Amino acid sequence: MRIVIVEDSPLLRDNLIRLFADHPELSVLGSAAGEDAAVALIATQRPDTVLLDLSLSQGSGLGVLRRLRATPGLAPRVLVLSSRPADPWEALCLDAGADAFLDKAGDPSVLLAQLASWMPPLPLDELRRRRRLQQLQVLDTRAEPALDAIARLAARIAEAPVGVISLVDTHRQWFKARVGVEVQTTSRSVSFCAHALLGDGLFEVEDATLDPRFADNPLVRGDPGIRFYAGMPLVMPGGEVVGTLCVIDSRPRRLGATAREALAVLARSVTDELELRQRVGELEEEVARRHEAEARIMQLATRDALTGLPNRAALMDRLHQGVRAAQRSGNLLAVLFLDLDRFKWINDTLGHDLGDALLQEMALRLSRAVRECDTVARLGGDEFAIVLGDLWQVADAEAVAAKIVDVITRPLEVRGHALRVGGSVGVAVYPFQAHDEESLLRHADLAMYHAKESGGNRHQLFSEQMNARAVERMTVESELRAAIAAGQLELHYQPQLCLEDGRLAGMEALVRWRHPRLGLLAPGRFVPLAEDCGLIWELGLAVLELALAQLAAWDRAGLEVPRIAVNVSPAQLRPELVERIVEILDRHGVAARRLEIELTESALTADGPAANGLLQALRRMGASIAIDDFGAGYSSLTLLRRLPISALKIDRSFVAELATNRQDAAIVEAILRMAHSVGLRTVAEGVEHAEQQAALGELGCQEVQGYLCARPLEAKAASAWLAGQHAGGLVPSAAAA
């Protein structure tokens, strides 16, 4: 019900508005405090009901009432709310055309009851009926010729000026089709059709002015002046009545039998159209859902979920098409294989969310760095591939690769963190480096590894020598598995000396592979391979076994070695590592305090809490922990605070020019002060000259290791060296310092 309030008391007006706010069927269109403003508002809004106070700030309520009743076509129900006594004011108001008179100070429920009496009754299945109407999805839709034709035919058969297909919603009736009437909607409170919902047969009002349900209806007393109404309910197959097919006339009359039958047939045609329309809509929605699902499946199948770039499957398809196109055109096709540096460190230390954001930013950079016709794909992790078509020369591909290296090495800011990453790019060009997509990608990958091994932050064009090296790498991998079991691994030992008095502080065990075909291999030839192929666990345990067995052998020979240091890879930091170390120590009768585990900074940051727990367990059993190559990586001072570290080993790059380079000297001095302030032992690596050793002594370093003391020695040579030191006392080179 659409209501206008005419009341000059703001308090009473606001109370009424708050009262009606709890009743969604009652809608306040506006309010006025004076006579002229009230008449103008009512004429504009054409409400169903007016709540009228007799005392106004300008004019009077009676004046409003008389002017309304004197205005042709404007006939809202008027309910007078007054504080004046009912006698004589009620009779006076009713004579002037009021429909009801209530005391404004009375019980609000009386007012609500009066308004409810003017509302059409609700069907018993109102909730189900409204749900069915919503399912049809027909409200507020555009006109449809088929339904317009039915409304027109109904009016013609009934010989009525107005024909309407009316759909009755919660608080309104909406005309899906209409003939002879301009309005599209009215409120439900004045709707004849709302009464027609209560039955399943024709609802007919021969003369509305004589029917107490409609005589005071604004549509009867005012425009359009309804006298006759006949509405046939629109009954859906489930029994829900969603509206009516109705005819309206401004003169009283009665339908004949033929017209009644025709309205019934036409009403069934309307429901058939609505049902068909819904089914077509449902089919369209199903088709749209399927298309969306197919597109989503295709997206998942061909796109990387994180970056939105094509994935490996899509890349291989585009590579295949690119190779075919290059064969036809005679142009070149290039594949660039990119691997980011430092991504794992960033991902592990700053969190996976930031790592994901970094990959998304890098995907944007790469996409902007190439042409729209080129393809940038993410292969997984921090690996990307780029396909470049229609090239004229190999140099074009190398120029793009150099540009890519420049793009990825530029600083970037991700979620408040200033980051700098690098990368290596491998290049393979069709038809010079391969003739099919699989070989192109593999060769670009091999070239990328060569660029990474050459120092990174560069690009590398594939050559056949790389393929031979890859074959050798596979061969070495298979041979390494057998080598561990066959005992081809051996350890060399390098002394660590105390700077203060030249005493032996310990030995570092360095693994070598006595390869039957290639000779003695340094760890750089096979340790990274062992990490890549999953052999590092077995290799690491074998090294621990050999080192502790040798320490026990020296003990039996009376050669005192205070401790032995063994390098441990990040891939060895498993929960069971502590248990295996205890087993090996027990087997050789070596105290845990004589074992030092050397880890790189990346190993300490690789698995945060898990690594910390392992190191804590090792420290509790008495082993010491040293950070190897300290300062060469991306050191974090939090490592020194939260991890149970025993020693720092200063990287050889700072020692090389220590005696002549002030910057290196300052860095080493800062490292030493920091380490000593938190109680860490310090060891300098790569000491080759007496000047370096002297400078380290002045700066306060405690131990040194390098060629000045001794080169890495085989077990037999190391035993002889130890015997010589025991016979000669202090080590001369160290004592001289």
Side-chain angles (χ1 to χ4, degrees):
M1 180 179 292
R2 302 161 70 248
I3 298 173
V4 163
I5 299 173
V6 182
E7 172 62 68
D8 63 351
S9 168
L11 177 61
L12 294 175
R13 179 198 62 209
D14 293 344
N15 285 341
L16 287 172
I17 292 174
R18 281 194 294 270
L19 174 65
F20 296 154
D22 295 330
H23 299 271
E25 71 277 9
L26 304 176
S27 173
V28 177
L29 303 179
S31 63
E35 181 178 323
D36 292 342
V39 173
L41 178 63
I42 295 166
T44 302
Q45 295 294 333
R46 306 191 75 84
D48 306 322
T49 302
V50 175
L51 300 186
L52 180 63
D53 182 23
L54 294 179
S55 300
L56 301 177
S57 60
Q58 177 269 321
S60 69
L62 272 175
V64 173
L65 181 57
R66 287 169 179 151
R67 289 168 68 178
L68 290 180
R69 293 303 182 229
T71 303
L74 187 61
R77 292 186 176 101
V78 177
L79 194 162
V80 176
L81 287 175
S82 178
S83 57
R84 297 183 182 184
D87 189 13
W89 290 101
E90 181 174 5
L92 187 62
C93 291
L94 294 177
D95 289 343
D99 296 287
F101 183 96
L102 295 177
D103 182 359
K104 67 168 61 176
D107 188 345
S109 62
V110 177
L111 169 61
L112 294 174
Q114 179 61 59
L115 296 176
S117 70
W118 289 332
M119 303 283 288
L122 294 175
L124 296 177
D125 66 340
E126 175 65 8
L127 291 178
R128 185 167 65 94
R129 186 196 72 79
R130 289 208 309 265
R131 280 197 299 268
R132 187 70 181 91
L133 178 60
Q134 295 300 321
Q135 290 171 358
L136 291 174
Q137 298 183 7
V138 71
L139 291 170
D140 301 308
T141 55
R142 66 181 183 274
E144 297 181 38
L147 296 176
D148 287 343
I150 292 175
R152 191 177 302 109
L153 183 58
R156 186 178 304 163
I157 291 173
E159 298 180 348
V162 177
V164 171
I165 296 175
S166 172
L167 302 172
V168 182
D169 199 2
T170 308
H171 305 306
R172 62 170 178 154
Q173 65 175 351
W174 184 79
F175 303 146
K176 174 61 181 172
R178 64 192 193 278
V179 174
V181 63
E182 293 299 323
V183 297
Q184 181 87 59
T185 184
T186 74
S187 71
R188 183 169 176 169
S189 65
V190 298
S191 168
F192 282 67
C193 297
H195 292 264
L197 300 179
L198 302 175
D200 55 2
L202 182 70
F203 178 75
E204 188 174 15
V205 179
E206 297 179 11
D207 189 344
T209 61
L210 303 178
D211 191 319
R213 295 171 297 178
F214 304 107
D216 61 351
N217 191 303
L219 302 181
V220 175
R221 292 192 306 201
D223 288 338
I226 297 175
R227 296 290 296 277
F228 168 77
Y229 171 89
M232 184 63 71
L234 301 176
V235 185
M236 302 307 294
E240 307 91 351
V241 182
V242 296
T244 67
L245 170 63
C246 63
V247 291
I248 300 170
D249 205 339
S250 57
R251 60 187 178 86
R253 49 179 298 198
R254 180 181 177 84
L255 283 182
T258 301
R260 289 168 177 265
E261 292 177 4
L263 280 180
V265 172
L266 291 175
R268 285 195 293 273
S269 298
V270 173
T271 56
D272 289 344
E273 284 289 335
L274 294 178
E275 185 77 9
L276 178 60
R277 185 186 187 285
Q278 181 188 3
R279 291 181 180 178
V280 170
E282 290 173 348
L283 286 174
E284 290 175 346
E285 288 182 358
E286 179 62 23
V287 169
R289 279 195 297 269
R290 291 193 178 188
H291 285 167
E292 184 180 345
E294 290 171 0
R296 191 160 54 247
I297 291 171
M298 183 62 67
Q299 174 83 4
L300 293 173
T302 62
R303 291 279 169 174
D304 173 57
L306 177 64
T307 63
L309 295 176
N311 60 13
R312 181 180 289 272
L315 173 75
M316 298 310 294
D317 180 68
R318 296 189 188 186
L319 256 180
H320 178 78
Q321 300 300 327
V323 169
R324 303 288 85 78
Q327 289 173 341
R328 292 191 298 269
S329 67
N331 292 339
L332 305 182
L333 174 79
V335 178
L336 276 54
F337 198 108
L338 163 66
D339 183 82
L340 299 179
D341 296 333
R342 292 195 67 214
F343 172 73
K344 178 173 173 54
W345 181 86
I346 292 172
N347 203 41
D348 291 338
T349 55
L350 299 180
H352 294 285
D353 288 344
L354 190 137
D356 289 347
L358 171 62
L359 291 174
Q360 291 168 339
E361 173 62 26
M362 198 56 64
L364 286 175
R365 287 192 176 190
L366 294 174
S367 299
R368 293 168 181 164
V370 297
R371 303 167 298 181
E372 289 188 7
C373 61
D374 298 326
T375 297
V376 178
R378 181 183 176 220
L379 304 181
D382 57 355
E383 293 181 339
F384 296 84
I386 301 172
V387 180
L388 307 173
D390 293 326
L391 301 180
W392 291 94
Q393 54 187 351
V394 174
D396 296 337
E398 292 196 88
V400 176
K403 180 181 178 182
I404 294 298
V405 172
D406 177 65
V407 164
I408 62 179
T409 53
R410 293 175 188 169
L412 70 162
E413 184 171 319
V414 180
R415 297 185 180 180
H417 292 270
L419 303 175
R420 184 186 291 271
V421 297
S424 304
V425 178
V427 183
V429 180
Y430 171 89
F432 302 119
Q433 276 89 43
H435 292 84
D436 61 83
E437 54 270 21
E438 293 285 351
S439 299
L440 276 170
L441 189 62
R442 185 175 69 254
H443 290 173
D445 189 8
L446 290 173
M448 181 276 295
Y449 272 108
H450 190 275
K452 187 178 287 288
E453 290 173 356
S454 300
N457 289 340
R458 65 188 67 196
H459 72 277
Q460 177 66 55
L461 183 67
F462 173 79
S463 66
E464 281 302 326
Q465 290 83 354
M466 297 176 193
N467 213 6
R469 185 173 179 183
V471 172
E472 178 188 343
R473 179 184 174 96
M474 293 178 61
T475 303
V476 170
E477 177 184 336
S478 63
E479 293 175 340
L480 180 58
R481 294 180 183 275
I484 297 173
Q488 294 176 6
L489 299 179
E490 62 182 57
L491 299 186
H492 288 195
Y493 301 90
Q494 188 170 34
Q496 298 170 337
L497 304 179
C498 295
L499 267 176
E500 184 179 2
D501 54 13
R503 287 183 299 104
L504 179 67
M507 286 281 201
E508 180 178 4
L510 303 167
V511 66
R512 303 287 187 267
W513 179 7
R514 185 71 65 177
H515 194 283
R517 178 171 51 88
L518 302 174
L520 189 67
L521 300 182
R525 291 287 301 277
F526 61 91
V527 169
L529 177 62
E531 291 176 329
D532 289 344
C533 67
L535 286 175
I536 193 63
W537 174 253
E538 290 81 2
L539 189 150
L541 292 180
V543 170
L544 277 167
E545 188 79 44
L546 290 172
L548 293 175
Q550 183 60 61
L551 186 60
W554 283 330
D555 287 346
R556 290 191 296 271
L559 300 174
E560 182 182 351
V561 176
R563 67 170 181 269
I564 194 160
V566 179
N567 290 279
V568 171
S569 165
Q572 292 177 254
L573 298 180
R574 301 182 184 178
E576 60 267 33
L577 177 62
V578 176
E579 181 180 350
R580 299 303 298 273
I581 289 177
V582 170
E583 291 176 0
I584 298 172
L585 287 169
D586 290 344
R587 185 159 47 248
H588 297 289
V590 175
R593 59 180 172 76
R594 298 177 66 194
L595 172 64
E596 182 160 270
I597 301 296
E598 289 194 6
L599 295 163
T600 61
E601 295 170 46
S602 61
L604 295 174
T605 58
D607 196 14
N612 192 1
L614 283 173
L615 301 185
Q616 293 285 2
L618 289 170
R619 291 290 288 134
R620 283 194 297 271
M621 61 185 277
S624 56
I625 310 295
I627 300 180
D628 199 11
D629 303 329
F630 187 81
Y634 302 93
S635 307
S636 171
L637 297 181
T638 58
L639 294 177
L640 307 182
R641 178 175 56 84
R642 65 181 176 84
L643 294 178
I645 300 166
S646 312
L648 296 184
K649 297 190 70 177
I650 301 170
D651 187 70
R652 64 182 63 247
S653 62
F654 297 112
V655 175
E657 300 179 9
L658 180 62
T660 57
N661 189 313
R662 291 184 178 181
Q663 288 184 336
D664 285 353
I667 291 173
V668 172
E669 183 178 12
I671 293 174
L672 291 171
R673 287 184 178 180
M674 178 180 61
H676 296 159
S677 68
V678 292
L680 299 182
R681 188 177 77 255
T682 53
V683 184
E685 299 179 292
V687 179
E688 299 181 0
H689 306 292
E691 294 82 2
Q692 297 169 336
Q693 182 170 283
L696 288 166
E698 291 177 3
L699 293 174
C701 185
Q702 295 165 304
E703 298 175 11
V704 293
Q705 174 181 347
Y707 287 0
L708 181 62
C709 305
R711 290 175 176 271
L713 304 167
E714 296 181 18
K716 186 177 295 186
S719 298
W721 184 90
L722 285 170
Q725 306 316 307
H726 280 275
L730 297 178
V731 178
S733 59

